[in-house]
Amino acid sequence: MIPELGQFALALALLTAVAQGVVPILGAARGNVVWMRSAQTTSVLQAVLLIFAFGALMRSYMISDFTVLNVVQNSHSLKPMIYKIAGTWGNHEGSLLLWVLILALFGAGVALFGANIPLALRARTLSVQAWISIGFLSFMIFTSNPFERIFPAPPDGRDLNPLLQDIGLAIHPPLLYVGYVGFSIVFSFAVAALIEGRVDPAWARWVRPWTLAAWVSLTGGIALGSWWAYYELGWGGWWFWDPVENVSFMPWLLGTALLHSAIVTEKRDTFKSWTILLAILTFSLSLLGTFIVRSGLLTSVHAFAVDPERGLYILGLLGISIGGSLALYAWRAPALEGGGLFAPVSREAGLLINNLLLATATATVLFGTLYPLFLEAVTGEKISVGPPFFNASFIPITLPLIIAMAVGPFLSWKRADLPGVLSRLKWVFALVVLASLVIWYVQTGGPVLAVLSMGIALWLLLATVQEWGRRIKPFAPGAMRRLRTQPRSSHGMTVAHIGLAILMMGAIGSSAWKQEAVVFAEPGTEVRLAGFHLTFEGVERVRGPNYLAQVGTLTVREDNDGQIGEFVTTLQPERRVYPIAGSSTTESAIRQTLAGDLYVSMTEPAAAGASGKWTVRVLYEPLVNFLWIGSVMLVIGGLLSLSDRRLRVGAPKRARVPLAATPAE
């Protein structure tokens, strides 16, 4: 009965979305206040209905209701409860339901907390948001029903993909979806502004908190997915430029550009049409990622659907939403420009360079991701575009961006004194050169690009600290007062920029100076690597709640120039077999320190002729934990900015005037 109620709630949510998509926008066109205000009621009602539907599906997973086909295909009675719950969104139908739920929650958020937004703009925004919901709700109801029944019910389920039975993957998709879908409300604001034909600093102020919320969540989701890949997949990497990784990274890049562009629109009333375009393109890339993952174009742990009909449906939604919004932009954007002028050397110019480099980096990733798919569709030829292409094309674009990031906060609006700014940074530059020479010496001469990149990361770190010190003057009287009175958004910028510098250090260290050894191991096998001496002690069998594991044991001691030193730790990598799912996973063992990780994974026994031996991979990953520290600082910086009172309050409400005097409203 509960699944049927969930399905009924979906149908009601679709009808509510239709009403929300039609009535408020007509009310805005006719100046009908009652019709415009209906958007608030329908937005909240749609969210409530989808919360009920999602709760109904989650309940089916929690009680192992195997009369529901979705539960049968993605759950099992022996699974731990946390993974039963995660199974709700660990599949095509359930993740789609989570998608539309988040979509509705963002709309309800604007309805409940957007009282200071002009009524007509809010009505149009919520109507556009409703049309996005209509597309995905109809797609789900007609092609991807999560509540489909199966009779007779099987005695048990087929289990969730074992790779997804991990706490990191339990949290990763919801964070990613909040990021993806969060940009939908920014898209809706942009389309509503185009319909009205008006973009001003107040509009940018209303848009910024929603952009920040989506960006923070997407940052956390990407970082969590990278962390999961590092410790779970057993290959010791954290990013592979996989197409599905790329489709989450591209909205993040453009979303970062959008954040900075909206600042210029708010502060200087310029970049208006560019900010609108970024809002449209950022959400368009989120939709493109949805299409790639669900169309059957890719086979991946991330890919849910392989039904071409579903892919065509999403392709249609993609064409209507992106094509329609860009056509509207082409029609209305020329009338939006204006605002303050600025010199070639100014903060506006610095943020423009930031935006152009981020957009170029996004285009590079987009080309490398889609070109193999287009080539295969046209010629049938399959090629792989992997890390060598992306590293060679993406890194040269981002290094100048990082250099500019360090200088940007020192520049003033409208016109800046570049020689004066560089003069203030001369000691930072000297320290960076000295540190780079030390790194060059310690790492015996290279690689050159890694040393240069590490120097640029230090440049950003030290320049950001100096800029913060210039504002706070920590050693002068009144430092605490200045610290408290600074806007939280400025503190957020400082923390985020430092976080990016630290993240860069982790990426450079773990990529350029990684050490690796792969051996066929049997009891007594020894490995020496990066100052450690490892001894393989053997393997024992262990039974888990829904898997069988073979657990290896390696004793780690210090290696002092060939002499075995003191005991360090014991590492126990695992190889797990899930009988119900008929698959296996690798569970790595990691000794984590700030200096670097000692990483061990164990794979299938070696081929015949090496009986009793296991393939053991040992890696030393310098500075890899700086990646996660930097990612956390990016999230904290975003949250600090989001808590800024100016963003929570927004622009002041406009004075009430008689309705007859404001026909446009």
Side-chain angles (χ1 to χ4, degrees), residues 479-502:
M480 289 305 297
R481 178 183 56 80
R482 287 188 292 273
L483 184 67
R484 288 193 302 269
T485 55
Q486 282 284 316
R488 290 185 185 177
S489 57
S490 66
H491 292 312
M493 177 198 71
T494 299
V495 173
H497 283 195
I498 291 175
L500 182 60
I502 292 173

Side-chain angles (χ1 to χ4, degrees), residues 230 236 515-517 527-535 554-559 568-573 588-601 617-625:
Y230 172 68
Q515 298 182 50
E516 180 177 2
V527 181
R528 285 184 166 87
L529 186 79
F532 296 100
H533 179 278
L534 296 88
T535 304
L554 292 97
T555 302
V556 182
R557 294 181 174 85
E558 294 177 353
D559 182 15
V568 176
T569 189
T570 299
L571 297 176
Q572 293 187 302
S588 57
I590 307 172
R591 177 185 180 264
Q592 294 183 306
T593 66
L594 272 181
D597 282 3
L598 184 62
Y599 181 107
V600 180
S601 64
R617 178 190 297 265
V618 182
L619 301 101
Y620 183 69
E621 304 256 8
L623 305 181
V624 70
N625 288 300

Side-chain angles (χ1 to χ4, degrees), residues 174-495:
L175 280 176
L176 213 56
Y177 291 169
V178 170
Y180 277 155
V181 184
F183 287 119
S184 68
I185 199 67
V186 184
F187 170 87
S188 298
F189 268 111
V191 172
L194 288 173
I195 294 172
E196 281 197 354
R198 184 177 65 202
V199 177
D200 54 22
W203 178 88
R205 178 74 62 86
W206 294 316
V207 163
R208 276 185 65 200
W210 301 104
T211 307
L212 259 174
W215 183 87
V216 166
S217 185
L218 189 57
T219 302
I222 292 172
L224 197 57
S226 178
W227 177 63
W228 166 81
Y230 172 68
Y231 72 78
E232 175 68 23
L233 298 184
W235 59 290
W238 43 268
W239 192 263
F240 194 65
W241 294 106
D242 176 271
V244 183
E245 294 174 338
N246 294 346
V247 297
S248 66
F249 188 44
M250 289 185 290
W252 186 87
L253 289 170
L254 271 197
T256 305
L258 174 60
L259 274 177
H260 292 83
S261 180
I263 293 172
V264 183
T265 302
E266 179 190 344
K267 301 287 187 184
R268 299 282 298 130
D269 194 24
T270 190
F271 288 14
K272 290 187 286 189
S273 63
W274 173 246
T275 303
I276 291 284
L277 180 61
L278 284 176
I280 292 171
L281 293 180
T282 301
F283 183 60
S284 297
L285 287 174
S286 296
L287 291 178
L288 178 66
T290 303
F291 168 69
I292 289 176
V293 170
R294 298 171 191 280
S295 63
L297 288 175
L298 299 175
T299 301
S300 164
V301 67
H302 305 85
F304 291 122
V306 292
D307 185 349
E309 292 184 4
R310 291 174 173 176
L312 288 174
Y313 197 112
I314 297 179
L315 186 60
L317 292 177
L318 198 68
I320 294 170
S321 57
I322 297 176
S325 59
L326 289 178
L328 180 62
Y329 174 81
W331 176 37
R332 302 302 294 268
L336 297 179
E337 270 312 332
L341 300 175
F342 56 89
V345 178
S346 61
R347 181 168 293 194
E348 293 96 325
L351 289 170
L352 178 60
I353 292 171
N354 160 290
N355 272 221
L356 292 176
L357 289 173
L358 282 169
T360 304
T362 305
T364 301
V365 177
L366 181 65
F367 174 79
T369 303
L370 295 186
Y371 179 71
L373 302 179
F374 281 129
L375 185 67
E376 183 179 356
V378 174
T379 67
E381 180 183 354
K382 291 188 177 182
I383 66 168
S384 175
V385 175
F389 166 80
F390 290 105
N391 291 338
S393 57
F394 183 81
I395 292 175
I397 297 170
T398 53
L399 290 182
L401 172 65
I402 303 303
I403 294 172
M405 280 179 63
V407 178
F410 288 89
L411 300 174
S412 54
W413 295 106
K414 297 182 67 175
R415 182 183 299 275
D417 176 20
L418 185 59
V421 169
L422 295 179
S423 176
R424 287 196 291 272
L425 288 168
K426 61 185 177 183
W427 293 112
V428 169
F429 180 75
L431 285 173
V432 167
V433 171
L434 180 61
S436 299
L437 291 174
V438 170
I439 294 170
W440 175 273
Y441 175 78
V442 171
Q443 294 299 330
T444 63
V448 176
L449 183 59
V451 175
L452 175 64
S453 300
M454 190 66 79
I456 291 173
L458 286 169
W459 164 258
L460 175 60
L461 174 64
L462 295 176
T464 302
V465 171
Q466 179 174 332
E467 193 274 336
W468 176 84
R470 183 175 65 93
R471 285 187 283 113
I472 303 301
K473 298 180 177 61
F475 304 110
M480 289 305 297
R481 178 183 56 80
R482 287 188 292 273
L483 184 67
R484 288 193 302 269
T485 55
Q486 282 284 316
R488 290 185 185 177
S489 57
S490 66
H491 292 312
M493 177 198 71
T494 299
V495 173

Side-chain angles (χ1 to χ4, degrees), residues 517-585:
V518 180
V519 298
F520 290 157
E522 57 185 351
T525 298
E526 298 179 349
V527 181
R528 285 184 166 87
L529 186 79
F532 296 100
H533 179 278
L534 296 88
T535 304
F536 187 71
E537 307 292 351
V539 175
E540 64 175 332
R541 297 181 183 273
V542 175
R543 178 178 292 275
N546 63 332
Y547 62 84
L548 301 173
Q550 293 170 304
V551 182
T553 300
L554 292 97
T555 302
V556 182
R557 294 181 174 85
E558 294 177 353
D559 182 15
N560 302 316
D561 296 325
Q563 300 296 318
I564 300 176
E566 295 183 3
F567 172 81
V568 176
T569 189
T570 299
L571 297 176
Q572 293 187 302
E574 299 181 27
R575 186 68 177 171
R576 293 181 180 177
V577 176
Y578 293 78
I580 303 300
S583 59
S584 59
T585 64

